[in-house]
Amino acid sequence: MSGPLDGVRVIDLTTIYSGPIATSILGDHGADVVKIEAPGGEAMRPGFRQRRNGVSGPFAMMNRNKRSLVLDLSEDSGKRVLERLLGGADVVVENFRPGVMGRLGFGWERMQAINSRLIYASINGVGPTGPYANRRVYDAVIQAISGMASLQADPTVERPQMINTLMCDKLTSITAAQNICSALYAREKTGRGQRVEISMLDSSLFFLWPDSMANFTFIGDDIPKRQFGSHAYFVRQTKDGYIATMPVQPAEWSGLFTALELDELLGDERFATPRARQENGDLFQQLITDAYAQFTTGELVERLGENEVPFAEINSREAVIEDPQVKAMGALVEFEHPYGGAMRQPRPPGRFSDTETDIFRCSPQLGEHTDAVLDEYGFDSNEIQRLRDQGTVA
């Protein structure tokens, strides 16, 4: 089987995290993604921590299912090569700061003239306009602007905390991949490509709004603002560790009370509804906290399961690898990278009945596919050799 995006040709000009993850998703779905790299290689290629035989673990994950072409875009000859690549591509993706593509000579009007069917996806921090548009932007900056860092604030000290993963980069990647697929679908109806701008700030606000920003949906003073909820209550200390529970429906709360031997709370009006539990929150939380501490984690696993309460043991990062559900799903794939050796990565998350998503190819060596890609895009062997001699490609 071939992937759902089989036949889609993508020129990937992106670096670091947000762009490479987005284009790797397209590659996971079968698109032919050509990663354009400067002669020195992409910044993430050397890696900062986990490496083997010169292969960086993060780079290998974010650049699987791609081919690599080295191209010097600082030279006019390199720009002419890019123009020809764009002429035969379906999608081009970049995550430069606003204005860079225009200065390179590849603004949207020029791209339309080169290829009217081209989808041009531009991933950036905060969009091309506004007081922050020319700032350098990374994940922590967007966590700060979007309010995400304040979600994690410790209420006892009111100190904001960053989420300990590149949340904004990664959710922007998923948003970008989805937007690109929508633009490809629209092209099937119109016959024309279009420009798609995806900002990290837009993506993060959309992600936060349904729950974390619910107080700000209604404009005006007629709807009173409510106290912000805390997910800290989902983590409970047991006699010998921790467990996560998230009862939502009435039957799940009843199951929790039974599991914790708090059946007397079932008929207590102070705790009968979400509003009542909130109004009597301090007492309720103390009763619940004390009850959890009476049981070991293993005992609670049995009791919560028997009473159909949503729960899970809290895995360490190491324990994730051995989790029985992760293993049963086949969620982690082990394979042999030709340079990096034995590796483990998550499979593409979507499961398709008629088309395949997979790790079709490992992350490429720098310039590994330069000649093959140029040949496929119409360059003859003499042209390719001349470009190599000039240092335009490598």
Side-chain angles (χ1 to χ4, degrees), residues 115-128:
N115 181 353
S116 64
R117 289 177 56 81
L118 187 66
I119 307 299
Y120 168 31
S122 176
I123 302 171
N124 53 59
V126 296

Side-chain angles (χ1 to χ4, degrees), residues 218-284:
F218 296 107
I219 299 172
D221 299 327
D222 56 317
I223 304 296
K225 291 187 168 46
R226 298 191 140 204
Q227 182 179 0
F228 293 114
S230 173
H231 285 205
Y233 294 127
F234 297 149
V235 177
R236 300 290 184 171
Q237 188 164 4
T238 68
K239 187 182 288 186
D240 60 351
Y242 295 89
I243 197 164
T245 58
M246 191 176 176
V248 175
Q249 313 230 20
E252 295 162 356
W253 279 106
S254 296
L256 177 65
F257 294 156
T258 299
L260 296 176
E261 297 183 355
L262 292 174
D263 292 290
E264 70 274 11
L265 299 187
L266 290 171
D268 194 320
E269 293 184 359
R270 295 174 298 174
F271 314 119
T273 66
R275 175 66 63 86
R277 289 191 288 273
Q278 189 176 57
E279 290 175 349
N280 298 282
D282 290 343
L283 175 59
F284 178 69

Side-chain angles (χ1 to χ4, degrees), residues 140-156:
V141 176
I142 301 302
Q143 286 202 38
I145 298 171
S146 67
M148 195 172 290
S150 69
L151 301 183
Q152 302 300 106
D154 181 346
T156 62

Side-chain angles (χ1 to χ4, degrees), residues 28 35 68 83 96 108 117 129 173 176 235 253 267 306 319 329 331 353 358 372:
D28 285 354
K35 183 176 183 67
S68 172
E83 180 175 346
F96 300 127
W108 174 227
R117 289 177 56 81
T129 61
S173 302
V235 177
W253 279 106
E306 289 171 0
M329 292 170 63
S353 63
D358 204 351

Side-chain angles (χ1 to χ4, degrees), residues 203-225:
S203 302
S204 300
L205 291 173
F206 183 88
F207 179 82
L208 290 172
W209 213 266
D211 56 343
S212 301
M213 298 293 283
N215 265 343
F216 305 98
T217 294
F218 296 107
I219 299 172
D221 299 327
D222 56 317
I223 304 296
K225 291 187 168 46

Side-chain angles (χ1 to χ4, degrees), residues 70-328:
V70 171
L71 181 62
D72 186 355
L73 289 175
S74 67
E75 299 292 337
D76 288 342
S77 57
K79 294 171 185 175
R80 288 193 291 271
V81 171
L82 179 59
E83 180 175 346
R84 288 177 63 177
L85 295 175
L86 295 177
D90 297 290
V91 179
V92 60
V93 190
E94 53 89 4
N95 61 345
F96 300 127
R97 292 169 71 186
V100 169
M101 287 298 287
R103 290 194 292 274
L104 286 172
F106 293 97
W108 174 227
E109 290 185 1
R110 173 86 188 287
M111 289 197 191
Q112 284 182 302
I114 294 169
N115 181 353
S116 64
R117 289 177 56 81
L118 187 66
I119 307 299
Y120 168 31
S122 176
I123 302 171
N124 53 59
V126 296
T129 61
Y132 307 155
N134 291 317
R135 287 187 185 180
R136 290 185 177 274
V137 173
Y138 296 104
D139 186 272
V141 176
I142 301 302
Q143 286 202 38
I145 298 171
S146 67
M148 195 172 290
S150 69
L151 301 183
Q152 302 300 106
D154 181 346
T156 62
V157 296
E158 296 185 354
R159 176 183 172 85
Q161 293 182 8
M162 296 292 170
I163 296 175
N164 197 27
T165 189
L166 297 175
M167 177 70 76
C168 299
D169 271 320
K170 290 185 282 189
L171 64 90
T172 301
S173 302
I174 297 168
T175 303
Q178 181 271 316
N179 278 223
I180 291 166
C181 290
S182 293
L184 285 167
Y185 179 74
R187 192 183 69 176
E188 291 300 302
K189 296 187 290 184
T190 67
R192 292 190 59 79
Q194 59 183 303
R195 181 178 183 176
V196 184
E197 290 189 359
I198 309 100
S199 80
M200 293 171 68
L201 184 55
D202 272 324
S203 302
S204 300
L205 291 173
F206 183 88
F207 179 82
L208 290 172
W209 213 266
D211 56 343
S212 301
M213 298 293 283
N215 265 343
F216 305 98
T217 294
F218 296 107
I219 299 172
D221 299 327
D222 56 317
I223 304 296
K225 291 187 168 46
R226 298 191 140 204
Q227 182 179 0
F228 293 114
S230 173
H231 285 205
Y233 294 127
F234 297 149
V235 177
R236 300 290 184 171
Q237 188 164 4
T238 68
K239 187 182 288 186
D240 60 351
Y242 295 89
I243 197 164
T245 58
M246 191 176 176
V248 175
Q249 313 230 20
E252 295 162 356
W253 279 106
S254 296
L256 177 65
F257 294 156
T258 299
L260 296 176
E261 297 183 355
L262 292 174
D263 292 290
E264 70 274 11
L265 299 187
L266 290 171
D268 194 320
E269 293 184 359
R270 295 174 298 174
F271 314 119
T273 66
R275 175 66 63 86
R277 289 191 288 273
Q278 189 176 57
E279 290 175 349
N280 298 282
D282 290 343
L283 175 59
F284 178 69
Q285 292 301 333
Q286 190 60 57
L287 290 169
I288 293 289
T289 297
D290 291 346
Y292 274 98
Q294 302 305 308
F295 301 94
T296 67
T297 302
E299 290 169 340
L300 283 170
V301 166
E302 296 296 324
R303 298 174 75 90
L304 294 169
E306 289 171 0
N307 288 280
E308 298 188 356
V309 180
F311 82 95
E313 296 179 74
I314 299 176
N315 285 333
S316 66
R317 299 186 202 195
E318 293 81 3
V320 170
I321 309 302
E322 301 301 326
D323 187 282
Q325 183 61 40
V326 172
K327 285 190 166 185

